[in-house]
Amino acid sequence: MDQYPISTDESQVLSDLPMREIPGDYGLPIIGAIKDRYDFLYFQGQDEFFKSRMKKYNSTIFRTNMLPVQFNNGCNAKVIVLLDAVSFPVLFDVTKVEKRDVFINTYMPSTSFTGGYRTCAYLDPSERKHTQLKQLFLSLLASRHDDFIPEFQSCLSKLFDNMETNLSSSKNEEADFNALDDSMCSDYLFQLFFNVQPKDTKLGTDGPKLMTKWLVLQLHPLITLGLPKLFSWVDDLLLHTFLFPFFLVKSDYQKIYDVIYSSSTSILDEAEKLGITREEACHNLVFTISFNAFGATKVFFPNLMKWVALGGEKLHKDLANEIRTTVKSEGVPNQFATAKEDLVIHSHDSSFQVKKGELLLGFQPFATKDPKIFEDPEEFKGSRFVGEEGEKLLKYVYWSNGRETGNPTAVNKQCPAKNQMVLLARVMLIEFFLRYDTFTADIGTLLLGSSVKIKSLTRAETS
């Protein structure tokens, strides 16, 4: 059954669209793939990479290569790109596409990074173990539902205190939000799920660094060092030619594993009841906490603060007024897939035949800024999804392996904590603007996500 069904009228409109051959090509063997990689990472950048090809082919669906890792056995760099709001949802329909081993890109890191197991994120819902593990995670989240907000509020209070301390004592007169956020998120996740503080374990204060190192060693084919274009070959040779070996982070990973294993007796007991060994369950917990949760918050919260900062003082004032009024009156959430069969994919104006086994790539920033859906799609509007008409657009917001209007289940690939992530983002903004009227920040880029340096904080008189 289609997870995201369309109406009869919509189906008729799509079936009447003209059939086109998918434009684009993969170029010469190896050379074509490397050329596309250089365009994507160094010469054009990801947005221009897709925009230029979309214009060249006059199509939001086309063929290209995507970040191949040479000498990585089984790596398939050839993809069909989906850039519009009509075609993108097929990536979530597990009756038509397979999500096996395509979690982050066209390659899968060695299972040595996860104890020799293919973790839940790399499993297709058709695999029995996927359902068992997803049920375990959903059960774990449900068991902690009363603690999500109180624990987060406590951690946010410490984060804001540290920001103010850093601002008052820093020689550069700035607070590194990313570093403080990493520490806060690590403390929050371990306290919430395992009832321990990392500083009281063998992790000490190094938890965020150990998890970040483990993440980077798996994600390095997707990132750059930001070197000048003249030295792009150095960057490419170091990061995109061979996969980094696990032994570089083996001892770090073991520390994380040991802490989680010793703190998860009840969770591992539940795993055994579901037919999962304690060892496999623990490796999945490490992945869930370190990759899915910490990795997500490491990127998500700085990006949230980045866009709020760029929104300026008017947005800050609007948010503060709305939040304080509500609290006063009431109190206080790149897609890849492989075609399972021959299928037809539609854009706004054409239909395309996709063969079984072809790899699909949906570039989320383009699908969620589709100009045929969103007015002024390139402009950040803090109130875009507010009100009756704004809420209707939420079905076109794709993230966390699904629509914003969808929910995770044991048989789909939507992140178990998708709704909690949205909740925590709201709580962060609420707590921030209950405490501050406005702020300024310097915005930059990091290997993973955005860099946010808080320059000033204006305390609310009533905070």
Side-chain angles (χ1 to χ4, degrees):
M1 181 179 180
D2 192 334
Q3 186 184 352
Y4 301 102
I6 59 177
S7 67
T8 303
D9 290 341
E10 289 176 312
S11 179
Q12 182 61 49
V13 170
L14 294 177
S15 66
D16 291 340
L17 292 175
M19 184 70 70
R20 286 183 61 188
E21 186 75 21
I22 299 177
D25 60 68
Y26 304 116
L28 297 173
I30 301 181
I31 295 175
I34 293 177
K35 178 185 179 300
D36 285 343
R37 182 170 75 196
Y38 268 74
D39 282 346
F40 185 87
L41 290 172
Y42 310 115
F43 300 150
Q44 294 182 308
Q46 63 178 19
D47 283 8
E48 184 57 31
F49 178 90
F50 289 117
K51 284 180 181 178
S52 63
R53 285 154 179 77
M54 188 165 60
K55 182 178 180 179
K56 176 181 178 180
Y57 302 126
N58 191 29
S59 175
T60 54
I61 298 177
F62 53 84
R63 298 180 186 276
T64 190
N65 296 287
M66 180 50 51
L67 289 186
V69 183
Q70 303 301 329
F71 312 113
N72 175 33
N73 292 334
C75 175
N76 176 19
K78 299 177 180 179
V79 299
I80 297 172
V81 179
L82 314 177
L83 296 181
D84 60 78
V86 176
S87 62
F88 196 87
V90 74
L91 294 158
F92 311 133
D93 187 350
V94 295
T95 66
K96 296 179 180 177
V97 300
E98 184 177 77
K99 306 292 283 189
R100 187 188 306 263
D101 300 339
V102 289
F103 174 54
I104 56 173
N105 208 274
T106 60
Y107 75 102
M108 176 182 171
S110 168
T111 56
S112 59
F113 283 93
T114 51
Y117 294 97
R118 291 170 61 237
T119 55
C120 187
Y122 291 102
L123 300 176
D124 185 75
S126 64
E127 298 177 77
R128 183 174 63 89
K129 191 59 66 69
H130 175 276
T131 301
Q132 294 172 318
L133 289 167
K134 193 78 175 285
Q135 286 176 335
L136 177 66
F137 300 145
L138 290 171
S139 175
L140 174 59
L141 289 167
S143 70
R144 303 295 193 270
H145 75 278
D146 288 337
D147 301 318
F148 265 95
I149 293 178
E151 289 288 356
F152 196 54
Q153 287 175 316
S154 176
C155 288
L156 284 174
S157 180
K158 294 177 183 177
L159 170 66
F160 298 154
D161 286 343
N162 289 333
M163 283 168 48
E164 292 179 16
T165 299
N166 283 15
L167 275 177
S168 63
S169 62
S170 172
K171 294 180 180 179
N172 296 323
E173 297 183 346
E174 64 182 21
D176 186 343
F177 179 84
N178 295 72
L180 296 174
D181 177 67
D182 281 358
S183 180
M184 182 274 289
C185 291
S186 174
D187 289 348
Y188 173 65
L189 293 169
F190 276 83
Q191 181 64 45
L192 177 66
F193 292 114
F194 310 119
N195 198 33
V196 297
Q197 281 293 305
K199 64 182 177 59
D200 298 326
T201 71
K202 65 171 65 177
L203 295 177
T205 59
D206 291 333
K209 294 179 182 178
L210 301 185
M211 288 189 286
T212 298
K213 181 179 176 182
W214 177 77
L215 280 168
V216 170
L217 259 64
Q218 295 174 79
L219 297 175
H220 70 86
L222 310 181
I223 59 183
T224 73
L225 298 174
L227 301 176
K229 289 184 180 180
L230 180 64
F231 298 103
S232 59
W233 65 273
V234 177
D235 185 292
D236 199 54
L237 180 64
L238 292 174
L239 295 179
H240 310 124
T241 304
F242 299 95
L243 292 178
F244 290 166
F246 171 64
F247 77 79
L248 295 174
V249 75
K250 181 177 181 180
S251 62
D252 300 330
Y253 180 82
Q254 191 63 47
K255 288 181 182 179
I256 302 171
Y257 178 92
D258 290 343
V259 169
I260 291 180
Y261 190 94
S262 64
S263 308
S264 307
T265 301
S266 61
I267 305 172
L268 300 181
D269 288 343
E270 179 67 21
E272 286 191 316
K273 294 177 183 177
L274 292 171
I276 310 167
T277 66
R278 301 178 81 84
E279 181 184 54
E280 182 171 9
C282 190
H283 283 295
N284 270 273
L285 284 173
V286 174
F287 187 91
T288 298
I289 295 302
S290 302
F291 200 116
N292 294 130
F294 178 76
T297 56
K298 181 180 182 67
V299 174
F300 185 81
F301 290 141
N303 276 342
L304 175 67
M305 296 304 291
K306 162 192 168 181
W307 287 111
V308 174
L310 293 175
E313 191 169 352
K314 183 183 184 304
L315 175 63
H316 303 170
K317 181 179 179 180
D318 290 343
L319 285 170
N321 287 339
E322 180 181 353
I323 288 168
R324 293 169 194 174
T325 300
T326 302
V327 169
K328 184 177 180 180
S329 62
E330 303 177 17
V332 172
N334 292 334
Q335 298 290 335
F336 286 85
T338 304
K340 283 186 173 180
E341 58 189 24
D342 290 353
L343 55 91
V344 175
I345 293 178
H346 307 281
S347 65
H348 287 286
D349 49 22
S350 299
S351 299
F352 302 87
Q353 182 74 46
V354 174
K355 298 296 184 182
K356 177 180 179 180
E358 290 193 291
L359 186 60
L360 306 174
L361 158 65
F363 189 57
Q364 187 171 304
F366 275 59
T368 53
K369 292 189 294 186
D370 189 330
K372 294 189 177 181
I373 299 294
F374 300 103
E375 182 180 355
D376 300 323
E378 297 296 332
E379 181 181 345
F380 172 67
K381 296 183 178 182
S383 60
R384 186 184 294 276
F385 301 101
V386 175
E388 184 177 347
E389 291 303 311
E391 290 182 2
K392 291 179 181 179
L393 296 175
L394 286 174
K395 68 179 181 179
Y396 298 109
V397 176
Y398 310 119
W399 74 292
S400 191
N401 276 316
R403 295 181 191 263
E404 167 58 22
T405 52
N407 288 300
T409 70
V411 294
N412 68 19
K413 289 300 290 183
Q414 196 151 30
C415 175
K418 170 254 181 184
N419 291 327
Q420 285 81 359
M421 198 67 174
V422 176
L423 173 65
L424 295 182
R426 289 171 174 166
V427 172
M428 175 173 276
L429 289 181
I430 289 170
E431 294 298 318
F432 187 89
F433 283 106
L434 285 175
R435 183 162 175 156
Y436 305 107
D437 283 333
T438 187
F439 73 108
T440 60
D442 282 344
I443 308 300
T445 57
L446 294 173
L447 289 179
L448 298 175
S450 301
S451 167
V452 178
K453 306 285 188 180
I454 304 296
K455 303 293 291 185
S456 68
L457 293 165
T458 303
R459 270 275 201 170
E461 292 183 2
T462 57
S463 64

